[in-house]
Amino acid sequence: MATKNKYSVILPTYNERKNLPVAVSLINDNFTKNNLDYEVVIVDDGSPDGTADVARQLQKAFPRRIILKERAGKLGLGTAYIHGLQFATGNFVIIMDADFSHHPKFIPKMIEKQATNDYDIVTGTRYAGDGGVYGWDLKRKVISRGANLFADTLLRPGVSDLTGSFRLYKKDVLQNVITKVQSKGYVFQMELMVLAKSMGYSVAEVPISFVDRVYGDSKLSGDEITQYFTGVLSLWTRV
């Protein structure tokens, strides 16, 4: 008998107390109505707004589904995924934002796509098919498009959305690739995908609608944008 798949959703959080209950509830709805086994690993970086307290309440509301791992401070998105991966018990890992910009309704579509050809990675894309971005001003759209175009021109990975952070990985694939990633911030997602492609892993895409956060502020800073472009150039010399 084939082993039933289990999906570990890693949610890095920082000041997401208002968004987290909605995100977790919708994650639960989409997994349960499709009869899929799952867990949510919340990695909270010492949120001063009490996100961890909300996560503890969610543990009571969704017994045996929520794993909370607290860290002392804001240590970077990349390290949050690495930390959360240590506690993931599923054979697949989903990474996504906790601010509700990634709608969990796309998770079943990503799982279905993975099964069609046993893909190693399925990534949500804002820039192919009927994918799109909603709620961003022109400046943020230009930054995102420019970042993708810059990396695609230099690195030629063949993926339409390199900076997106809504992805499904085979756990062993993510464990292998993530050990080779050197960056921690905004560039982390791009480096992870480029390295995976260079290592020969198969990647499929599912169009998604990205909606800007309703509560809270964007975590993207000018320094991270600079680090991204520096990171692309560094990666160009490595792959």
Side-chain angles (χ1 to χ4, degrees), residues 43-231:
V43 181
D44 185 65
D45 276 3
S47 298
D49 74 341
T51 298
D53 293 332
V54 171
R56 279 185 278 274
Q57 292 300 312
L58 290 169
Q59 285 180 312
K60 297 175 183 177
F62 301 97
R64 300 179 300 280
R65 294 295 190 186
I66 310 297
I67 299 168
L68 171 62
K69 296 299 173 182
E70 298 179 72
R71 303 199 295 177
K74 209 172 177 184
L75 302 175
L77 183 65
T79 64
Y81 288 131
I82 293 169
H83 189 69
L85 188 57
Q86 299 176 54
F87 306 98
T89 63
N91 56 322
F92 285 93
V93 173
I94 295 170
I95 62 173
M96 61 188 296
D97 293 346
D99 61 8
F100 199 46
S101 57
H102 296 146
H103 200 297
K105 69 181 180 182
F106 294 107
I107 291 175
K109 295 180 181 180
M110 296 169 79
I111 291 172
E112 182 180 1
K113 183 67 174 182
Q114 189 281 326
T116 61
N117 201 34
D118 194 30
Y119 289 105
D120 297 310
I121 304 166
V122 177
T123 182
T125 176
R126 299 162 290 181
Y127 303 127
D130 58 357
V133 176
Y134 303 91
W136 276 359
D137 59 20
L138 180 60
K139 178 182 176 182
R140 185 66 191 271
K141 288 181 178 179
V142 169
I143 290 172
S144 178
R145 278 289 199 176
N148 274 283
L149 180 61
F150 181 65
D152 186 61
T153 301
L154 278 185
L155 303 170
R156 302 288 182 184
V159 178
S160 64
D161 193 347
L162 286 169
T163 58
S165 53
F166 193 2
R167 295 176 184 164
L168 165 68
Y169 290 87
K170 289 181 178 177
K171 182 182 177 182
D172 58 342
V173 170
L174 182 56
Q175 287 174 321
N176 189 23
V177 179
I178 210 167
T179 60
K180 298 171 176 58
V181 176
Q182 296 179 1
S183 56
K184 296 179 181 180
Y186 184 58
V187 69
F188 177 85
Q189 304 291 359
M190 179 277 299
E191 185 175 354
L192 198 58
M193 182 58 71
V194 171
L195 288 175
K197 289 284 286 186
S198 72
M199 294 165 68
Y201 290 120
S202 58
V203 179
E205 296 185 321
V206 169
I208 64 165
S209 300
F210 178 96
V211 181
D212 196 21
R213 61 170 52 244
V214 176
Y215 300 109
D217 299 316
S218 171
K219 312 298 193 299
L220 183 63
S221 65
D223 286 344
E224 285 200 305
I225 294 171
T226 301
Q227 289 170 17
Y228 175 85
F229 287 102
T230 302

Side-chain angles (χ1 to χ4, degrees), residues 8-80:
S8 299
V9 182
I10 300 178
L11 291 181
T13 59
Y14 186 79
N15 286 349
E16 300 289 2
R17 67 171 293 127
K18 293 182 179 179
N19 293 308
L20 190 60
V22 180
V24 170
S25 179
L26 287 169
I27 288 170
N28 177 71
D29 288 349
N30 279 277
F31 275 106
T32 54
K33 74 181 181 183
N34 288 282
N35 194 30
L36 297 166
D37 192 14
Y38 83 98
E39 66 186 5
V40 179
V41 182
I42 299 169
V43 181
D44 185 65
D45 276 3
S47 298
D49 74 341
T51 298
D53 293 332
V54 171
R56 279 185 278 274
Q57 292 300 312
L58 290 169
Q59 285 180 312
K60 297 175 183 177
F62 301 97
R64 300 179 300 280
R65 294 295 190 186
I66 310 297
I67 299 168
L68 171 62
K69 296 299 173 182
E70 298 179 72
R71 303 199 295 177
K74 209 172 177 184
L75 302 175
L77 183 65
T79 64

